[in-house]
Amino acid sequence: MAGPTIAFLVFDGLTPLDFVGPFEVLSRLPGAFTRIVSPTGGDILAAGGRLRIGADVALDEIDAADVLVVPGGPGARTLMHDDAVTAWVARVAAGARFTASVCTGALILGGAGLLNGREAATHWAARPLLAEFGATPVARRIVDHGSVLTAAGVSAGIDLALLLAAHIAGEDVARAIQLRIEYDPQPPFDSGAVEKASPAIRDLAATVG
Amino acid sequence: MAGPTIAFLVFDGLTPLDFVGPFEVLSRLPGAFTRIVSPTGGDILAAGGRLRIGADVALDEIDAADVLVVPGGPGARTLMHDDAVTAWVARVAAGARFTASVCTGALILGGAGLLNGREAATHWAARPLLAEFGATPVARRIVDHGSVLTAAGVSAGIDLALLLAAHIAGEDVARAIQLRIEYDPQPPFDSGAVEKASPAIRDLAATVG
């Protein structure tokens, strides 16, 4: 049996972990066929130009996937208003079993009309921006609407991808992937959620973006 | 004041999250200057050839860094016996304030002679391989020897990088980065450590590698 085709949108201004967290998990699904999709098919520059990542295909070379993953990053604030990108996301999402965003990738799903009237997760600092797309931001790690899922910021894509892996291939496979990537998190600090961080840490966080 | 120069070794057969987890954290350090180093300076193929990542420089174009990060992946089992690579790691590590491995990157540190007589962390499935280098594998998330740190498999690099960020720039900056990447992990399952996973899940994990 053929495994799932999983398309990952990548773009200039991507936050690398938004993409690589889910890629690391989902590319391990049995038979997974991954497609890294950039607007032009060329390499993209992530992390403020510090990291170059190759793409497999351009937007106009692929119009279907079983799973579509849309990561975020500063570039998402441009793409959410880019008609070619949002139309592509809407088209692929219409035929996909699952469409998932990480971080400000939710803004691109919003631009594609996928979050209208729905609760959604995104990076805590971007929550107010969801209103433009008729979505209600919620302070949750993952919001699962069945075919459309949204995750909170950056590292939340790993949690979302494990949930997706279970939806696609069953809980045992998801657990096996979790073990393989030794995802037994032990953060040395506990300031990973805006509700837990002090005002001083929140201010400082604006400088490490 | 100039920030730290942080060199990341990348190579064919890299596990992407081993590299990108620490990159996402450490590239956010104030003034950080990141150098992505591949053996030849060319692009590398990670994740079994599914993901192409660009490098900034070749091994022979850089011989010093404040921080050296050595990720793992299947390719590490070749590089741990590659004299050019291990000599480079030993040379850069000798002048670095911190040298850190993620996952089977520990085998490369081992090949460079950095773990002889020491306890070290690595991917759970690779623990027996550390003995060749005189190291004692331990079932810990991070082993911190001051200038040399080793992390467990794949995702453990995020935890290690936050600890390193605190060593380099102080705990407040590390907490701010944790908040910025919203690292408030909520794995949907609890099988991320080999000690927690059932024998069946362990067997299945061998198929999602």
Side-chain angles (χ1 to χ4, degrees), chain A residues 86-112:
Chain A
T86 56
W88 179 83
V89 168
R91 191 163 62 246
V92 175
R97 187 169 161 210
F98 298 105
T99 298
S101 67
V102 180
C103 196
T104 52
L107 302 174
I108 301 175
L109 298 199

Side-chain angles (χ1 to χ4, degrees), chain B:
Chain B
M1 193 187 71
T5 296
I6 308 171
F8 298 85
L9 181 65
V10 299
F11 46 85
D12 289 341
L14 175 75
T15 293
L17 186 55
D18 286 23
F19 157 55
V20 169
F23 183 89
E24 189 68 65
V25 171
L26 298 173
S27 65
R28 293 170 183 268
L29 284 169
F33 180 55
T34 57
R35 301 274 79 192
I36 302 172
V37 187
S38 74
T40 65
D43 292 2
I44 64 91
L45 290 174
R50 295 171 182 211
L51 176 61
R52 184 167 50 80
I53 293 174
D56 299 315
V57 290
L59 285 186
D60 59 11
E61 295 174 306
I62 178 170
D63 61 4
D66 299 304
V67 181
L68 172 61
V69 178
V70 180
R77 298 185 188 215
T78 304
L79 293 197
M80 70 187 188
H81 293 129
D82 181 315
D83 291 343
V85 169
T86 56
W88 180 83
V89 168
R91 191 162 64 245
V92 175
R97 187 167 161 214
F98 298 105
T99 298
S101 67
V102 180
C103 196
T104 51
L107 302 174
I108 301 174
L109 297 199
L114 299 175
L115 300 180
N116 195 24
R118 285 179 157 165
E119 292 188 333
T122 190
H123 191 282
W124 57 268
R127 286 179 196 156
L129 300 176
L130 279 176
E132 176 182 344
F133 307 109
T136 304
V138 293
R140 296 220 305 272
R141 191 78 174 158
I142 298 168
V143 176
D144 184 349
H145 287 294
S147 62
V148 176
L149 302 92
T150 50
V154 195
S155 61
I158 301 171
D159 296 329
L160 178 142
L162 285 169
L163 184 66
L164 257 186
H167 288 343
I168 294 165
E171 198 173 303
D172 279 358
V173 169
R175 286 178 182 272
I177 293 172
Q178 184 183 5
L179 177 57
R180 197 73 208 179
I181 67 166
E182 214 158 345
Y183 186 49
D184 180 40
Q186 296 172 29
F189 312 109
D190 188 25
S191 63
V194 71
E195 294 77 12
K196 296 176 179 178
S198 69
I201 296 296
R202 282 189 221 186
D203 289 347
L204 196 55
T207 70
V208 294

Side-chain angles (χ1 to χ4, degrees), chain A residues 160-185:
Chain A
L160 179 143
L162 285 168
L163 183 66
L164 258 186
H167 287 344
I168 294 165
E171 197 173 303
D172 280 358
V173 169
R175 286 178 183 273
I177 293 173
Q178 183 183 6
L179 177 57
R180 197 73 207 180
I181 67 167
E182 213 159 345
Y183 187 48
D184 180 39

Side-chain angles (χ1 to χ4, degrees), chain A residues 38-145:
Chain A
S38 74
T40 64
D43 293 1
I44 64 92
L45 290 174
R50 297 172 181 209
L51 177 62
R52 185 167 49 80
I53 293 174
D56 298 315
V57 288
L59 287 185
D60 60 8
E61 294 174 307
I62 177 171
D63 61 3
D66 299 304
V67 181
L68 171 61
V69 177
V70 180
R77 298 185 187 216
T78 305
L79 293 196
M80 70 186 187
H81 294 129
D82 181 317
D83 291 345
V85 169
T86 56
W88 179 83
V89 168
R91 191 163 62 246
V92 175
R97 187 169 161 210
F98 298 105
T99 298
S101 67
V102 180
C103 196
T104 52
L107 302 174
I108 301 175
L109 298 199
L114 299 174
L115 301 181
N116 194 23
R118 285 179 158 165
E119 292 188 333
T122 190
H123 191 282
W124 56 269
R127 286 179 196 156
L129 300 176
L130 279 176
E132 176 182 344
F133 306 109
T136 303
V138 293
R140 296 220 305 272
R141 192 78 174 157
I142 298 167
V143 176
D144 183 348
H145 287 295

